[in-house]
PDB file of all heavy atoms in Angstrom:
ATOM      1  N   ARG A   1       3.276 140.482-181.953  1.00  0.00           N
ATOM      2  CA  ARG A   1       4.078 139.204-181.871  1.00  0.00           C
ATOM      3  C   ARG A   1       3.209 138.031-182.311  1.00  0.00           C
ATOM      4  O   ARG A   1       3.809 136.946-182.554  1.00  0.00           O
ATOM      5  CB  ARG A   1       4.534 139.090-180.441  1.00  0.00           C
ATOM      6  CG  ARG A   1       3.400 138.872-179.433  1.00  0.00           C
ATOM      7  CD  ARG A   1       3.988 138.701-178.031  1.00  0.00           C
ATOM      8  NE  ARG A   1       2.958 138.537-176.985  1.00  0.00           N
ATOM      9  CZ  ARG A   1       2.261 139.604-176.478  1.00  0.00           C
ATOM     10  NH1 ARG A   1       2.585 140.748-176.795  1.00  0.00           N
ATOM     11  NH2 ARG A   1       1.299 139.390-175.540  1.00  0.00           N
ATOM     12  N   GLU A   2       1.912 138.188-182.271  1.00  0.00           N
ATOM     13  CA  GLU A   2       1.097 137.051-182.654  1.00  0.00           C
ATOM     14  C   GLU A   2       0.884 136.923-184.152  1.00  0.00           C
ATOM     15  O   GLU A   2       0.483 135.857-184.665  1.00  0.00           O
ATOM     16  CB  GLU A   2      -0.316 137.196-181.938  1.00  0.00           C
ATOM     17  CG  GLU A   2      -0.225 137.111-180.459  1.00  0.00           C
ATOM     18  CD  GLU A   2      -1.642 137.163-179.802  1.00  0.00           C
ATOM     19  OE1 GLU A   2      -2.634 136.883-180.573  1.00  0.00           O
ATOM     20  OE2 GLU A   2      -1.742 137.251-178.646  1.00  0.00           O
ATOM     21  N   VAL A   3       1.235 137.983-184.872  1.00  0.00           N
ATOM     22  CA  VAL A   3       1.013 138.025-186.330  1.00  0.00           C
ATOM     23  C   VAL A   3       2.191 137.354-187.080  1.00  0.00           C
ATOM     24  O   VAL A   3       3.345 137.511-186.643  1.00  0.00           O
ATOM     25  CB  VAL A   3       0.862 139.481-186.815  1.00  0.00           C
ATOM     26  CG1 VAL A   3       0.733 139.536-188.376  1.00  0.00           C
ATOM     27  CG2 VAL A   3      -0.350 140.077-186.132  1.00  0.00           C
ATOM     28  N   LEU A   4       1.937 136.608-188.082  1.00  0.00           N
ATOM     29  CA  LEU A   4       2.950 135.898-188.863  1.00  0.00           C
ATOM     30  C   LEU A   4       3.885 137.008-189.491  1.00  0.00           C
ATOM     31  O   LEU A   4       3.465 138.014-189.933  1.00  0.00           O
ATOM     32  CB  LEU A   4       2.337 135.003-189.958  1.00  0.00           C
ATOM     33  CG  LEU A   4       1.433 133.867-189.549  1.00  0.00           C
ATOM     34  CD1 LEU A   4       0.942 133.151-190.691  1.00  0.00           C
ATOM     35  CD2 LEU A   4       2.165 132.965-188.612  1.00  0.00           C
ATOM     36  N   THR A   5       5.153 136.645-189.513  1.00  0.00           N
ATOM     37  CA  THR A   5       6.112 137.491-190.213  1.00  0.00           C
ATOM     38  C   THR A   5       5.959 137.342-191.671  1.00  0.00           C
ATOM     39  O   THR A   5       5.201 136.479-192.238  1.00  0.00           O
ATOM     40  CB  THR A   5       7.570 137.070-189.880  1.00  0.00           C
ATOM     41  OG1 THR A   5       7.775 135.750-190.470  1.00  0.00           O
ATOM     42  CG2 THR A   5       7.826 137.006-188.382  1.00  0.00           C
ATOM     43  N   LEU A   6       6.477 138.302-192.472  1.00  0.00           N
ATOM     44  CA  LEU A   6       6.346 138.177-193.909  1.00  0.00           C
ATOM     45  C   LEU A   6       7.017 136.910-194.466  1.00  0.00           C
ATOM     46  O   LEU A   6       6.528 136.379-195.332  1.00  0.00           O
ATOM     47  CB  LEU A   6       7.096 139.382-194.581  1.00  0.00           C
ATOM     48  CG  LEU A   6       6.450 140.746-194.314  1.00  0.00           C
ATOM     49  CD1 LEU A   6       7.226 141.872-195.012  1.00  0.00           C
ATOM     50  CD2 LEU A   6       4.973 140.833-194.739  1.00  0.00           C
ATOM     51  N   GLU A   7       8.103 136.484-193.807  1.00  0.00           N
ATOM     52  CA  GLU A   7       8.757 135.175-194.244  1.00  0.00           C
ATOM     53  C   GLU A   7       7.787 134.081-193.992  1.00  0.00           C
ATOM     54  O   GLU A   7       7.767 133.194-194.846  1.00  0.00           O
ATOM     55  CB  GLU A   7      10.081 135.003-193.455  1.00  0.00           C
ATOM     56  CG  GLU A   7      11.195 136.010-193.755  1.00  0.00           C
ATOM     57  CD  GLU A   7      10.980 137.360-193.151  1.00  0.00           C
ATOM     58  OE1 GLU A   7      10.075 137.551-192.327  1.00  0.00           O
ATOM     59  OE2 GLU A   7      11.745 138.301-193.421  1.00  0.00           O
ATOM     60  N   GLU A   8       7.048 134.074-192.859  1.00  0.00           N
ATOM     61  CA  GLU A   8       6.222 132.972-192.615  1.00  0.00           C
ATOM     62  C   GLU A   8       5.021 132.988-193.544  1.00  0.00           C
ATOM     63  O   GLU A   8       4.512 131.959-193.962  1.00  0.00           O
ATOM     64  CB  GLU A   8       5.663 133.102-191.127  1.00  0.00           C
ATOM     65  CG  GLU A   8       6.706 132.694-190.155  1.00  0.00           C
ATOM     66  CD  GLU A   8       6.302 132.925-188.666  1.00  0.00           C
ATOM     67  OE1 GLU A   8       5.615 133.932-188.444  1.00  0.00           O
ATOM     68  OE2 GLU A   8       6.781 132.132-187.818  1.00  0.00           O
ATOM     69  N   LEU A   9       4.514 134.150-193.851  1.00  0.00           N
ATOM     70  CA  LEU A   9       3.451 134.323-194.809  1.00  0.00           C
ATOM     71  C   LEU A   9       3.846 133.730-196.173  1.00  0.00           C
ATOM     72  O   LEU A   9       3.011 133.094-196.896  1.00  0.00           O
ATOM     73  CB  LEU A   9       2.961 135.786-194.952  1.00  0.00           C
ATOM     74  CG  LEU A   9       2.225 136.312-193.777  1.00  0.00           C
ATOM     75  CD1 LEU A   9       2.192 137.836-193.767  1.00  0.00           C
ATOM     76  CD2 LEU A   9       0.854 135.818-193.570  1.00  0.00           C
ATOM     77  N   TYR A  10       5.051 134.057-196.567  1.00  0.00           N
ATOM     78  CA  TYR A  10       5.473 133.506-197.814  1.00  0.00           C
ATOM     79  C   TYR A  10       5.634 132.024-197.761  1.00  0.00           C
ATOM     80  O   TYR A  10       5.183 131.294-198.758  1.00  0.00           O
ATOM     81  CB  TYR A  10       6.884 134.171-198.165  1.00  0.00           C
ATOM     82  CG  TYR A  10       7.480 133.584-199.454  1.00  0.00           C
ATOM     83  CD1 TYR A  10       7.014 133.941-200.658  1.00  0.00           C
ATOM     84  CD2 TYR A  10       8.474 132.627-199.402  1.00  0.00           C
ATOM     85  CE1 TYR A  10       7.537 133.446-201.854  1.00  0.00           C
ATOM     86  CE2 TYR A  10       9.023 132.102-200.577  1.00  0.00           C
ATOM     87  CZ  TYR A  10       8.540 132.442-201.777  1.00  0.00           C
ATOM     88  OH  TYR A  10       9.050 131.967-202.948  1.00  0.00           O
ATOM     89  N   GLN A  11       6.245 131.492-196.781  1.00  0.00           N
ATOM     90  CA  GLN A  11       6.413 130.079-196.563  1.00  0.00           C
ATOM     91  C   GLN A  11       5.023 129.398-196.599  1.00  0.00           C
ATOM     92  O   GLN A  11       4.796 128.285-197.324  1.00  0.00           O
ATOM     93  CB  GLN A  11       7.138 129.748-195.269  1.00  0.00           C
ATOM     94  CG  GLN A  11       7.335 128.339-195.050  1.00  0.00           C
ATOM     95  CD  GLN A  11       7.995 128.019-193.630  1.00  0.00           C
ATOM     96  OE1 GLN A  11       8.251 128.982-192.915  1.00  0.00           O
ATOM     97  NE2 GLN A  11       8.267 126.667-193.351  1.00  0.00           N
ATOM     98  N   LEU A  12       4.054 129.974-195.879  1.00  0.00           N
ATOM     99  CA  LEU A  12       2.725 129.426-195.893  1.00  0.00           C
ATOM    100  C   LEU A  12       2.064 129.375-197.256  1.00  0.00           C
ATOM    101  O   LEU A  12       1.494 128.346-197.772  1.00  0.00           O
ATOM    102  CB  LEU A  12       1.879 130.266-194.964  1.00  0.00           C
ATOM    103  CG  LEU A  12       0.459 129.729-194.504  1.00  0.00           C
ATOM    104  CD1 LEU A  12       0.639 128.398-193.857  1.00  0.00           C
ATOM    105  CD2 LEU A  12      -0.200 130.727-193.636  1.00  0.00           C
ATOM    106  N   SER A  13       2.336 130.469-197.994  1.00  0.00           N
ATOM    107  CA  SER A  13       1.695 130.551-199.380  1.00  0.00           C
ATOM    108  C   SER A  13       2.302 129.545-200.300  1.00  0.00           C
ATOM    109  O   SER A  13       1.564 128.967-201.048  1.00  0.00           O
ATOM    110  CB  SER A  13       1.958 132.015-199.905  1.00  0.00           C
ATOM    111  OG  SER A  13       1.346 133.016-199.113  1.00  0.00           O
ATOM    112  N   VAL A  14       3.593 129.318-200.174  1.00  0.00           N
ATOM    113  CA  VAL A  14       4.246 128.373-201.070  1.00  0.00           C
ATOM    114  C   VAL A  14       3.691 127.006-200.742  1.00  0.00           C
ATOM    115  O   VAL A  14       3.458 126.139-201.568  1.00  0.00           O
ATOM    116  CB  VAL A  14       5.732 128.329-200.840  1.00  0.00           C
ATOM    117  CG1 VAL A  14       6.416 127.148-201.483  1.00  0.00           C
ATOM    118  CG2 VAL A  14       6.421 129.710-201.440  1.00  0.00           C
ATOM    119  N   GLY A  15       3.391 126.620-199.436  1.00  0.00           N
ATOM    120  CA  GLY A  15       2.868 125.361-199.052  1.00  0.00           C
ATOM    121  C   GLY A  15       1.526 125.150-199.680  1.00  0.00           C
ATOM    122  O   GLY A  15       1.198 124.057-200.138  1.00  0.00           O
ATOM    123  N   PHE A  16       0.649 126.187-199.723  1.00  0.00           N
ATOM    124  CA  PHE A  16      -0.593 126.128-200.445  1.00  0.00           C
ATOM    125  C   PHE A  16      -0.489 125.842-201.940  1.00  0.00           C
ATOM    126  O   PHE A  16      -1.196 125.120-202.519  1.00  0.00           O
ATOM    127  CB  PHE A  16      -1.474 127.339-200.114  1.00  0.00           C
ATOM    128  CG  PHE A  16      -2.174 127.282-198.763  1.00  0.00           C
ATOM    129  CD1 PHE A  16      -1.678 127.802-197.690  1.00  0.00           C
ATOM    130  CD2 PHE A  16      -3.377 126.637-198.720  1.00  0.00           C
ATOM    131  CE1 PHE A  16      -2.345 127.884-196.509  1.00  0.00           C
ATOM    132  CE2 PHE A  16      -4.125 126.552-197.526  1.00  0.00           C
ATOM    133  CZ  PHE A  16      -3.596 127.163-196.365  1.00  0.00           C
ATOM    134  N   ILE A  17       0.492 126.663-202.549  1.00  0.00           N
ATOM    135  CA  ILE A  17       0.670 126.544-203.979  1.00  0.00           C
ATOM    136  C   ILE A  17       1.077 125.128-204.339  1.00  0.00           C
ATOM    137  O   ILE A  17       0.613 124.540-205.254  1.00  0.00           O
ATOM    138  CB  ILE A  17       1.659 127.597-204.450  1.00  0.00           C
ATOM    139  CG1 ILE A  17       1.144 128.996-204.280  1.00  0.00           C
ATOM    140  CG2 ILE A  17       2.122 127.327-205.853  1.00  0.00           C
ATOM    141  CD1 ILE A  17       2.241 130.080-204.426  1.00  0.00           C
ATOM    142  N   GLU A  18       1.888 124.529-203.502  1.00  0.00           N
ATOM    143  CA  GLU A  18       2.385 123.166-203.706  1.00  0.00           C
ATOM    144  C   GLU A  18       1.237 122.116-203.634  1.00  0.00           C
ATOM    145  O   GLU A  18       1.344 121.032-204.021  1.00  0.00           O
ATOM    146  CB  GLU A  18       3.548 122.774-202.805  1.00  0.00           C
ATOM    147  CG  GLU A  18       4.764 123.563-203.126  1.00  0.00           C
ATOM    148  CD  GLU A  18       5.982 123.277-202.249  1.00  0.00           C
ATOM    149  OE1 GLU A  18       5.710 122.704-201.233  1.00  0.00           O
ATOM    150  OE2 GLU A  18       7.110 123.630-202.465  1.00  0.00           O
ATOM    151  N   ARG A  19       0.148 122.480-202.964  1.00  0.00           N
ATOM    152  CA  ARG A  19      -0.936 121.662-202.809  1.00  0.00           C
ATOM    153  C   ARG A  19      -2.093 121.921-203.822  1.00  0.00           C
ATOM    154  O   ARG A  19      -3.193 121.522-203.610  1.00  0.00           O
ATOM    155  CB  ARG A  19      -1.572 121.672-201.344  1.00  0.00           C
ATOM    156  CG  ARG A  19      -0.606 121.204-200.293  1.00  0.00           C
ATOM    157  CD  ARG A  19      -0.304 119.753-200.379  1.00  0.00           C
ATOM    158  NE  ARG A  19      -1.474 118.904-200.183  1.00  0.00           N
ATOM    159  CZ  ARG A  19      -1.924 118.440-198.960  1.00  0.00           C
ATOM    160  NH1 ARG A  19      -1.221 118.746-197.880  1.00  0.00           N
ATOM    161  NH2 ARG A  19      -3.002 117.706-198.879  1.00  0.00           N
ATOM    162  N   GLY A  20      -1.821 122.864-204.757  1.00  0.00           N
ATOM    163  CA  GLY A  20      -2.814 123.118-205.883  1.00  0.00           C
ATOM    164  C   GLY A  20      -3.527 124.383-205.741  1.00  0.00           C
ATOM    165  O   GLY A  20      -4.423 124.583-206.654  1.00  0.00           O
ATOM    166  N   VAL A  21      -3.171 125.230-204.848  1.00  0.00           N
ATOM    167  CA  VAL A  21      -3.825 126.643-204.907  1.00  0.00           C
ATOM    168  C   VAL A  21      -3.172 127.428-206.047  1.00  0.00           C
ATOM    169  O   VAL A  21      -1.968 127.505-206.117  1.00  0.00           O
ATOM    170  CB  VAL A  21      -3.625 127.313-203.533  1.00  0.00           C
ATOM    171  CG1 VAL A  21      -3.874 128.830-203.653  1.00  0.00           C
ATOM    172  CG2 VAL A  21      -4.440 126.724-202.446  1.00  0.00           C
ATOM    173  N   THR A  22      -4.031 127.949-206.871  1.00  0.00           N
ATOM    174  CA  THR A  22      -3.642 128.636-208.050  1.00  0.00           C
ATOM    175  C   THR A  22      -3.956 130.133-207.991  1.00  0.00           C
ATOM    176  O   THR A  22      -3.409 130.980-208.698  1.00  0.00           O
ATOM    177  CB  THR A  22      -4.314 128.115-209.364  1.00  0.00           C
ATOM    178  OG1 THR A  22      -5.712 128.224-209.202  1.00  0.00           O
ATOM    179  CG2 THR A  22      -3.865 126.591-209.537  1.00  0.00           C
ATOM    180  N   LYS A  23      -4.838 130.570-207.096  1.00  0.00           N
ATOM    181  CA  LYS A  23      -5.204 131.906-206.914  1.00  0.00           C
ATOM    182  C   LYS A  23      -4.978 132.327-205.493  1.00  0.00           C
ATOM    183  O   LYS A  23      -5.429 131.618-204.462  1.00  0.00           O
ATOM    184  CB  LYS A  23      -6.669 132.177-207.284  1.00  0.00           C
ATOM    185  CG  LYS A  23      -7.187 133.646-207.079  1.00  0.00           C
ATOM    186  CD  LYS A  23      -8.558 133.848-207.471  1.00  0.00           C
ATOM    187  CE  LYS A  23      -9.035 135.209-207.139  1.00  0.00           C
ATOM    188  NZ  LYS A  23     -10.389 135.523-207.659  1.00  0.00           N
ATOM    189  N   LEU A  24      -4.262 133.434-205.237  1.00  0.00           N
ATOM    190  CA  LEU A  24      -3.984 133.945-203.904  1.00  0.00           C
ATOM    191  C   LEU A  24      -4.393 135.410-203.801  1.00  0.00           C
ATOM    192  O   LEU A  24      -3.933 136.207-204.605  1.00  0.00           O
ATOM    193  CB  LEU A  24      -2.453 133.809-203.648  1.00  0.00           C
ATOM    194  CG  LEU A  24      -1.863 134.319-202.314  1.00  0.00           C
ATOM    195  CD1 LEU A  24      -2.552 133.585-201.152  1.00  0.00           C
ATOM    196  CD2 LEU A  24      -0.292 134.129-202.281  1.00  0.00           C
ATOM    197  N   ARG A  25      -5.288 135.597-202.893  1.00  0.00           N
ATOM    198  CA  ARG A  25      -5.687 137.000-202.538  1.00  0.00           C
ATOM    199  C   ARG A  25      -5.163 137.466-201.230  1.00  0.00           C
ATOM    200  O   ARG A  25      -5.462 136.811-200.203  1.00  0.00           O
ATOM    201  CB  ARG A  25      -7.262 137.133-202.623  1.00  0.00           C
ATOM    202  CG  ARG A  25      -7.731 138.498-202.343  1.00  0.00           C
ATOM    203  CD  ARG A  25      -9.184 138.616-202.458  1.00  0.00           C
ATOM    204  NE  ARG A  25      -9.692 138.401-203.793  1.00  0.00           N
ATOM    205  CZ  ARG A  25      -9.622 139.297-204.806  1.00  0.00           C
ATOM    206  NH1 ARG A  25      -9.067 140.475-204.559  1.00  0.00           N
ATOM    207  NH2 ARG A  25     -10.041 138.937-206.013  1.00  0.00           N
ATOM    208  N   ILE A  26      -4.512 138.485-201.166  1.00  0.00           N
ATOM    209  CA  ILE A  26      -4.032 139.124-199.968  1.00  0.00           C
ATOM    210  C   ILE A  26      -5.004 140.017-199.434  1.00  0.00           C
ATOM    211  O   ILE A  26      -5.588 140.970-200.117  1.00  0.00           O
ATOM    212  CB  ILE A  26      -2.658 139.872-200.157  1.00  0.00           C
ATOM    213  CG1 ILE A  26      -1.575 139.017-200.781  1.00  0.00           C
ATOM    214  CG2 ILE A  26      -2.129 140.541-198.888  1.00  0.00           C
ATOM    215  CD1 ILE A  26      -1.279 137.822-199.921  1.00  0.00           C
ATOM    216  N   THR A  27      -5.427 139.839-198.066  1.00  0.00           N
ATOM    217  CA  THR A  27      -6.460 140.597-197.393  1.00  0.00           C
ATOM    218  C   THR A  27      -6.065 141.159-196.151  1.00  0.00           C
ATOM    219  O   THR A  27      -4.890 140.979-195.656  1.00  0.00           O
ATOM    220  CB  THR A  27      -7.695 139.696-197.250  1.00  0.00           C
ATOM    221  OG1 THR A  27      -7.446 138.740-196.267  1.00  0.00           O
ATOM    222  CG2 THR A  27      -8.109 138.974-198.513  1.00  0.00           C
ATOM    223  N   GLY A  28      -6.947 141.703-195.399  1.00  0.00           N
ATOM    224  CA  GLY A  28      -6.722 142.222-194.041  1.00  0.00           C
ATOM    225  C   GLY A  28      -8.079 142.083-193.309  1.00  0.00           C
ATOM    226  O   GLY A  28      -8.844 141.245-193.598  1.00  0.00           O
ATOM    227  N   GLY A  29      -8.274 142.991-192.297  1.00  0.00           N
ATOM    228  CA  GLY A  29      -7.659 144.353-192.236  1.00  0.00           C
ATOM    229  C   GLY A  29      -7.448 145.008-193.610  1.00  0.00           C
ATOM    230  O   GLY A  29      -8.007 144.677-194.638  1.00  0.00           O
ATOM    231  N   GLU A  30      -6.616 146.051-193.553  1.00  0.00           N
ATOM    232  CA  GLU A  30      -6.122 146.674-194.711  1.00  0.00           C
ATOM    233  C   GLU A  30      -4.699 146.216-195.003  1.00  0.00           C
ATOM    234  O   GLU A  30      -3.767 146.703-194.274  1.00  0.00           O
ATOM    235  CB  GLU A  30      -6.261 148.187-194.561  1.00  0.00           C
ATOM    236  CG  GLU A  30      -5.517 149.010-195.627  1.00  0.00           C
ATOM    237  CD  GLU A  30      -5.905 148.486-197.060  1.00  0.00           C
ATOM    238  OE1 GLU A  30      -7.094 148.304-197.366  1.00  0.00           O
ATOM    239  OE2 GLU A  30      -5.009 148.269-197.828  1.00  0.00           O
TER     240      GLU A  30
END
């Protein structure tokens, strides 16, 4: 329950892209 949902992860990523992030690496864990 503490982990972000896939929808929240996407929303978060879009927020970073709109602020100039051009490279996104998905990590973990695995």
Side-chain angles (χ1 to χ4, degrees):
R1 65 181 179 276
E2 295 185 13
V3 175
L4 296 180
T5 67
L6 293 182
E7 291 79 7
E8 288 172 327
L9 290 165
Y10 176 76
Q11 182 183 359
L12 192 62
S13 299
V14 169
F16 275 98
I17 294 168
E18 291 178 347
R19 297 293 297 271
V21 164
T22 60
K23 177 178 177 178
L24 177 58
R25 178 175 297 281
I26 302 299
T27 70
E30 170 47 49

